[in-house]
Amino acid sequence: MSRSTGFIMVLLCLSLLAKAQLQTPYILNGSATQRTCNCYVLTQDVNKSSGTVWNKNLIDLHNSFDYFFDVNLGCKDYDGADGIGFILQTKGTNLGATGSGIGFQGISPSLGIIIDTYQNSIDNDPSYDHLAIQMDGVTDHNAINNLAGPVTALDGNDNIEDCKWHIFRVKWDAAVMQMTVTMDGVLRLSLDKDVVHDIFGNNPMVYWGFAGSTGGSYNVQQFCAALRPQLDFRNDQRFCIGDPIVFRDSSKSFGTITRWQWDFGDGTTSTVSQPGMHQYAKPGVYDVTMVIEDNSGCISDTMHQQVTIGTYPVAEMSSHPLCLGRPLTIKDATTLDVGTLTEWDWELNGHSASGQNIVADFTTPGTYPVKLSVLTKEGCKDDTIQMLSVYNTPSISASGHDACIGDAIDFSGTNLTPGVALAGWHWNLGDGNTATVKDIDYTYKAGGRYTAEVYAVSKDGCFSDSFRIPVKIVDIKLDAGRDTLIAKGQPLQLNAVATGDNLSYSWYPPTGLNDVLIPDPVAVLFQDVRYVLIVNSPEGCVQMDTLLVKAYTGPEFYVPNAFSPNHDGQNDMFRAIAAGVPQLDFLCVWDRWGKEVFRTSELTGAWDGTFKGQDSPVGTYVYQIQGTDYTGHKFSRKGTVTLVR
């Protein structure tokens, strides 16, 4: 459709709407107003209001009718009121009443189908929004004039003041003298009565219309002479590419529909009521629209109906190797271009299953047929049969042992299912390292407890359970102590350090030691000795360390007369060797002007030839050192030292 053609159609629609509004077949009273060509507001959202809309043409109740209306009772529930009614009467077209009368009260003779949204105790109203058939303007539900009801206006719902439009259908079958009332397609009331004789005194010619009213509570209340475009499909709206689709008009209209405008969303249109068969050339999602016009010139809103034309799926299944003793999961791998998969039906091992993915119940190895049938929301089907193999799962064991630090452990795997060929082994040694061979020799770099873990994979792709091997790496971490010096004849406390329980110690040579089998013997020496300490653990691990002890005549300070702090690694520090002096009081150094440039009270303290971070100049410096010997006597020495670079 060109833009100019569309513009002309819009102008035509507006012209027809204006013409219809001018030529409306209804008489409006009170607060009633015409909203659109076929829609009327009975009451606004104000109190003590009443409006009626009467069709100016009498109808003959000797003839059947089937009227469809759209009704809207407003948006306020708790404080909304009062309701509307569809009324047949013979009095004329200028009637109405406010409040609980709903525009019906006092009209006699009459028949009213009342949608009441307020509980008036005087009328014995139920608490819910209700629907009833009443006669001669009487609104009391306990009166004999209450012909049917009350029931909830909506099926299973107490509230009709929900802002929504509802289809209100009134059908009169003159042949059997039965009136039925449905709301949103659900039958709510039925009345079998000769209304012509019993209500209207054998006068079949009546006016029909709507009345609505408000009192202390209020709502916007409105109705439309139904003009709802609606279509119906065959095949439950499920379509696959290539399927012919029969479009059927099932529009709801109060009057006679005179024109239809279909657009099937693929560039094709139709202007007949039943366009019949239509076939889409390509799969996809199409927006089908329809507009209708009735004999009063009213044009409906545009109906939109989404239609999906699906492609046929290609049924496929996938599975990891199916290994006995593991979940035998078979997954759907179907491909589909357009549509939605909704059903999966499986046949395997003599029984059926459903669901996108299933777990099979095979118990022996072998090759089995598995059938998968798939169905889309659009009704498109496909199936496939695949042969799936089921394999034995390997079982393994493994061995290893504890070791001393530095010694290799022989880890070895064993296949316990000889009939299953293995493709690989996978070790996790517990320290972040892995291996992929059956047998390995491995040396841990640190002592401690580790859990080595291994699993195997068969040539069929089945994984064994993991086998765990706890191992202990023994590291005694022996330290016999730092080399040291003592004054001759002065006792020296040795303190070896080792890690572990129930360790055995052996010092060699035994010279000057009070006990060679303990970690902390006392040594009294008159000569230099290099001790060797050997420690054994209960696991059979052995470690050895040495300790050199030099014996000096002392107590005495041995101080160099020069040093060269040039960072060449040789004679870079000025320090004293304190033979037989377990406690240093101080070591001080002054420059030639008497300024102190270094002080320490640590036996291992040393001057690096700097002062406040700057290199001291070359030259001669004065030092003094004082200490306390092992007998508690203090003694000191002073002298000079030359700094050279």
Side-chain angles (χ1 to χ4, degrees), residues 385-397:
I385 297 177
Q386 293 180 216
M387 303 299 294
L388 300 183
S389 295
V390 181
Y391 306 103
N392 278 320
T393 298
S395 177
I396 65 166
S397 67

Side-chain angles (χ1 to χ4, degrees), residues 171-381:
K171 183 177 181 180
W172 167 247
D173 189 331
V176 299
M177 292 182 291
Q178 182 184 62
M179 181 169 289
T180 56
V181 181
T182 60
M183 192 72 75
D184 293 335
V186 179
L187 179 66
R188 307 304 299 132
L189 294 172
S190 179
L191 174 66
D192 295 303
K193 189 176 185 63
D194 184 355
V195 298
V196 175
H197 175 271
D198 297 345
I199 298 177
F200 296 110
N202 293 318
N203 178 11
M205 306 305 295
V206 298
Y207 293 102
W208 69 268
F210 275 88
S213 67
T214 66
S217 299
Y218 39 87
N219 247 326
V220 176
Q221 302 179 126
Q222 49 192 322
F223 81 96
C224 298
L227 190 60
R228 280 197 181 189
Q230 187 171 306
L231 60 86
D232 186 22
F233 294 127
R234 290 193 307 179
N235 302 327
D236 193 26
Q237 303 186 23
R238 296 154 67 100
F239 311 112
C240 304
I241 187 65
D243 290 347
I245 302 174
V246 176
F247 287 102
R248 294 179 173 179
D249 175 41
S250 62
S251 299
K252 301 295 185 293
S253 174
F254 171 76
T256 303
I257 301 174
T258 57
R259 289 204 302 170
W260 294 260
Q261 180 61 52
W262 297 77
D263 186 330
F264 300 110
D266 62 350
T268 60
T269 61
S270 177
T271 57
V272 298
S273 62
Q274 305 294 346
M277 185 180 297
H278 184 77
Q279 193 164 18
Y280 288 91
K282 297 186 298 183
V285 179
Y286 297 90
D287 184 28
V288 178
T289 64
M290 179 171 60
V291 177
I292 59 176
E293 180 183 348
D294 68 8
N295 59 339
S296 67
C298 295
I299 298 174
S300 72
D301 294 333
T302 301
M303 177 220 70
H304 291 267
Q305 175 68 56
Q306 193 176 81
V307 177
T308 301
I309 308 299
T311 55
Y312 283 92
V314 179
E316 292 288 344
M317 66 185 79
S318 69
S319 65
H320 291 294
L322 298 177
C323 306
L324 294 176
R326 303 283 185 260
L328 305 179
T329 302
I330 306 174
K331 297 183 178 181
D332 168 60
T334 299
T335 55
L336 177 66
D337 292 333
V338 179
T340 305
L341 286 167
T342 56
E343 294 183 26
W344 297 263
D345 295 307
W346 303 79
E347 295 181 15
L348 69 166
N349 205 26
H351 69 274
S352 300
S354 60
Q356 187 172 7
N357 305 315
I358 62 169
V359 177
D361 60 352
F362 300 114
T363 57
T364 57
T367 301
Y368 301 89
V370 178
K371 180 179 179 180
L372 170 62
S373 299
V374 294
L375 175 67
T376 70
K377 179 181 178 181
E378 295 69 35
C380 310
K381 299 180 180 180

Side-chain angles (χ1 to χ4, degrees), residues 370-637:
V370 178
K371 180 179 179 180
L372 170 62
S373 299
V374 294
L375 175 67
T376 70
K377 179 181 178 181
E378 295 69 35
C380 310
K381 299 180 180 180
D382 190 35
D383 59 62
T384 183
I385 297 177
Q386 293 180 216
M387 303 299 294
L388 300 183
S389 295
V390 181
Y391 306 103
N392 278 320
T393 298
S395 177
I396 65 166
S397 67
S399 61
H401 54 82
D402 297 341
C404 303
I405 188 70
D407 293 343
I409 299 177
D410 297 326
F411 288 109
S412 179
T414 302
N415 183 4
L416 301 180
T417 49
V420 176
L422 299 182
W425 294 77
H426 300 269
W427 290 87
N428 183 337
L429 296 163
D431 62 349
N433 291 316
T434 60
T436 55
V437 294
K438 177 177 176 291
D439 303 320
I440 59 173
D441 291 336
Y442 187 72
T443 301
Y444 288 92
K445 295 180 179 180
R449 294 184 180 273
Y450 300 89
T451 299
E453 189 172 349
V454 63
Y455 68 89
V457 182
S458 72
K459 290 185 177 180
D460 301 316
C462 295
F463 289 70
S464 73
D465 290 333
S466 292
F467 193 92
R468 294 175 176 82
I469 307 169
V471 295
K472 178 181 179 182
I473 306 302
V474 178
D475 184 1
I476 297 174
K477 297 182 180 179
L478 177 61
D479 182 4
R482 297 180 58 180
D483 293 346
T484 188
L485 54 86
I486 61 172
K488 293 179 180 178
Q490 175 185 339
L492 172 66
Q493 177 69 61
L494 304 183
N495 288 286
V497 177
T499 300
D501 297 325
N502 301 317
L503 302 176
S504 61
Y505 297 82
S506 177
W507 294 86
Y508 181 82
T511 304
L513 297 177
N514 67 331
D515 191 338
V516 298
L517 300 180
I518 61 175
D520 51 354
V522 175
V524 178
L525 298 177
F526 296 92
Q527 62 186 22
D528 297 347
V529 176
R530 180 179 295 276
Y531 289 110
V532 176
L533 174 60
I534 299 174
V535 178
N536 290 267
S537 75
E539 295 84 6
C541 299
V542 180
Q543 286 188 12
M544 181 180 67
D545 195 16
T546 62
L547 171 63
L548 174 62
V549 181
K550 287 183 173 289
Y552 290 86
T553 300
E556 187 57 83
F557 293 116
Y558 297 92
V559 184
N561 57 13
F563 75 112
S564 58
N566 56 5
H567 309 294
D568 64 355
Q570 297 182 0
N571 200 28
D572 284 330
M573 307 293 286
F574 171 65
R575 60 166 57 89
I577 298 174
V581 181
Q583 178 181 332
L584 182 67
D585 296 331
F586 62 83
L587 167 61
C588 289
V589 181
W590 296 270
D591 64 15
R592 56 179 152 175
W593 293 282
K595 180 172 66 178
E596 184 180 291
V597 296
F598 176 73
R599 175 182 288 268
T600 183
S601 59
E602 300 290 334
L603 284 169
T604 57
W607 182 37
D608 62 0
T610 64
F611 178 67
K612 294 185 178 180
Q614 300 295 322
D615 288 341
S616 298
V618 297
T620 300
Y621 292 80
V622 177
Y623 71 84
Q624 183 176 359
I625 186 169
Q626 178 178 299
T628 303
D629 67 14
Y630 68 93
T631 65
H633 293 98
K634 294 184 180 296
F635 71 101
S636 64
R637 297 284 185 270

